[in-house]
Amino acid sequence: MAFTLLVLPAVAQAPPPTAPAAAKPPSVVAGFPVNYDEALAGGYTLPDVLKLANGKPVKNAKDWNAKRRPELVKLYEEQQFGRTPGRPAAMSFDVFDKGTPAMEGKALRKQVTVYFSADRNGPKEDIVIYVPAKATKPVPLLLCINFSPNASIFNDPGIKLGEMWNRDKKKVPAQRGGGLGRMNIDGLLEKGIGVAGIYYGDIDPDFPGGLPFGVRAHYLKPGQAEPAADEWGAISAWAWGLSRAMDYLETEQSVDAKRVALYGVSRLGKTVLWAGVHDTRFALVVASCSGEGGAALSRRNFGETIAHMTAPSRFGYQFAANRAKYAEHPEQCPVDAHMLVALMAPRPVFLQTGDGDLWSDPKGEFLAAVAAEPVYKLLGKQGLGTDQMPKAGEPIFHDIGYHMHAGGHGTIPGDWVPITKYLEMYLHP
Ligand code: GCU
């Protein structure tokens, strides 16, 4: 299988430590010290995922589904990612490529523009979909949200070019290839799994001050200059865009909408976790190096913290404004990452990390997965089944899955072997 994907952000906000294991991580970021000493990381108590806000225990699946889950989703909306509007009434789909042989005959390609409003000059997103050419019935699909436009991600001259945000924060025509990382999808197509892509920059820009140029601006009420403190940041907007893609996929006959998995790296790893939690139509999530604000525990002081994440010069715009309240006091936040992982239950979730990606704290992601296990068990599913962190290259393929490669930030080609295996196990192509 020849996967070659390592997607990197296309804009000015290049992440600091995307380096291989050997590079020395920064000791101060945005004026805040960064801890990499295990001896100084602990000493926290996680909020109890199976205790209701009123103090009563969650005893069974019914309590979880009817009470605790909605309570936690609301807290995530209000305190971390921000509330989003629902499906726009005037949304429409333009299927401008109804099925063209692509990828050397291995796939059938479709392309769709989702117009988020009645205004065709208004905000919109392009979706490209590849279904295995030999498929005779609806296929499971991996929906990827990417840092680059579809024409840059997939090696296919038939893709509509689209536009991208450049480093000067201007929208310019996309580049084919683009040098930002390409995805070789042959291995997935061979296994009978379709692949679709969207570009996060179609939905909302990824830089401080980007608000006026994305979809969130269209929902500001008259006189409102920015979203309220509990309303969407950019991550919630990108997750909303994934839900709009799902709205289309529910109408797409070549795809089984009940078997759509999500994949994203880094800030888009955070995005796919939140999208999967918020929109239970998604069957499975693969979150790569999602780190702080994703699957890594915030109470654990290791690598990036809420303070680094929400510093105005950095990534505050990606979250609800309320998130910054917890910068100095993560222990006061009513939620932590084990709850985000748990909210995927009973659906499978695969956390892919790298042992050298200390900034995103692979151990913090492992410990969140361990602490999410009681919810999976309650729902009759299998958590990691261990509290001993596996070594790099020893993946766990349970309903909560975990895989750490030897190396730094992102998805490396070899990761596609366990990811594909996991998709096969749970999506049954
Ligand atoms: C920065 C940021 C991380 C984020 C990463 C990325 O490093 O601090 O939280 O995950 O960028 O999106 O690449």
Side-chain angles (χ1 to χ4, degrees), residues 46-387:
L46 295 179
D48 190 342
V49 65
L50 288 179
K51 197 196 268 176
L52 291 161
N54 66 13
K56 295 212 171 107
V58 176
K59 293 206 204 81
N60 48 41
K62 190 166 165 255
D63 287 350
W64 171 260
N65 288 320
K67 297 183 188 149
R68 185 55 169 159
R69 189 177 196 285
E71 192 171 273
L72 286 174
V73 171
K74 190 155 184 275
L75 286 172
Y76 267 102
E77 284 179 334
E78 293 174 355
Q79 306 300 323
Q80 185 154 330
F81 296 113
R83 292 186 290 115
T84 52
R87 176 188 168 129
M91 183 170 68
S92 64
F93 308 127
D94 175 21
V95 187
F96 64 88
D97 178 358
K98 294 191 168 52
T100 309
M103 302 284 173
E104 295 159 340
K106 293 181 201 120
L108 200 67
R109 182 191 64 230
K110 296 198 177 184
Q111 299 187 76
V112 185
T113 301
V114 179
Y115 292 96
F116 297 143
S117 69
D119 177 8
R120 291 241 157 172
N121 296 313
K124 60 179 192 304
E125 71 186 4
D126 289 333
I127 315 174
V128 65
I129 302 165
Y130 296 98
V131 170
K134 45 181 195 244
T136 52
K137 45 183 203 255
V139 293
L141 183 92
L142 184 65
L143 171 59
C144 309
I145 181 161
N146 299 308
F147 289 109
S148 307
N150 296 331
S152 313
I153 291 289
F154 300 101
N155 188 13
D156 177 357
I159 299 185
K160 174 187 160 184
L161 202 51
E163 287 185 317
M164 65 181 282
W165 293 97
N166 69 8
R167 287 184 181 271
D168 300 323
K169 305 177 182 174
K170 299 256 158 21
K171 254 194 173 171
V172 295
Q175 285 171 329
R176 295 201 188 277
L180 286 165
R182 273 218 169 155
M183 192 168 184
N184 181 336
I185 63 173
D186 289 6
L188 290 164
L189 293 171
E190 270 164 29
K191 300 288 184 190
I193 301 170
V195 178
I198 65 171
Y199 170 48
Y200 79 150
D202 278 359
I203 306 157
D204 227 65
D206 184 14
F207 47 81
L211 176 73
F213 313 110
V215 73
R216 287 180 300 150
H218 288 259
Y219 283 86
L220 294 171
K221 296 184 193 78
Q224 194 185 8
E226 51 189 57
D230 65 348
E231 288 181 330
W232 48 354
I235 288 175
S236 250
W238 301 327
W240 182 90
L242 284 166
S243 288
R244 304 292 69 85
M246 180 53 125
D247 294 338
Y248 171 73
L249 292 171
E250 287 187 318
T251 71
E252 169 56 56
Q253 292 185 357
S254 61
V255 171
D256 180 359
K258 297 240 166 343
R259 289 183 290 161
V260 174
L262 292 174
Y263 167 76
V265 180
S266 212
R267 66 200 69 182
L268 297 178
K270 309 181 211 300
T271 301
V272 292
L273 276 171
W274 177 228
V277 162
H278 194 252
D279 187 339
T280 55
R281 290 176 298 173
F282 293 112
L284 183 158
V285 165
V286 179
S288 165
C289 299
S290 61
E292 174 57 46
L297 293 173
S298 301
R299 277 166 174 75
R300 192 178 124 85
N301 177 25
F302 194 98
E304 186 171 33
T305 62
I306 303 178
H308 302 115
M309 185 97 249
T310 59
S313 61
R314 291 174 52 78
F315 304 112
Y317 63 90
Q318 293 180 358
F319 295 85
N322 273 339
R323 181 70 174 155
K325 289 195 303 194
Y326 305 106
E328 302 290 338
H329 293 288
E331 77 285 358
Q332 289 175 5
C333 186
V335 291
D336 210 324
H338 61 310
M339 293 164 157
L340 192 63
V341 177
L343 285 166
M344 272 304 295
R347 295 163 297 150
V349 57
F350 195 66
L351 305 177
Q352 179 255 299
T353 66
D355 67 357
D357 186 11
L358 301 184
W359 178 246
S360 81
D361 191 12
K363 184 165 180 191
E365 293 199 21
F366 174 76
L367 294 173
V370 170
E373 181 154 344
V375 177
Y376 275 77
K377 272 197 178 149
L378 185 76
L379 303 185
K381 298 287 174 178
Q382 203 182 9
L384 291 177
T386 177
D387 58 6

Side-chain angles (χ1 to χ4, degrees), residues 6-32:
L6 214 165
V7 271
L8 294 174
V11 291
Q13 291 295 314
T18 53
K24 201 166 180 283
S27 55
V28 178
V29 169
F32 300 102

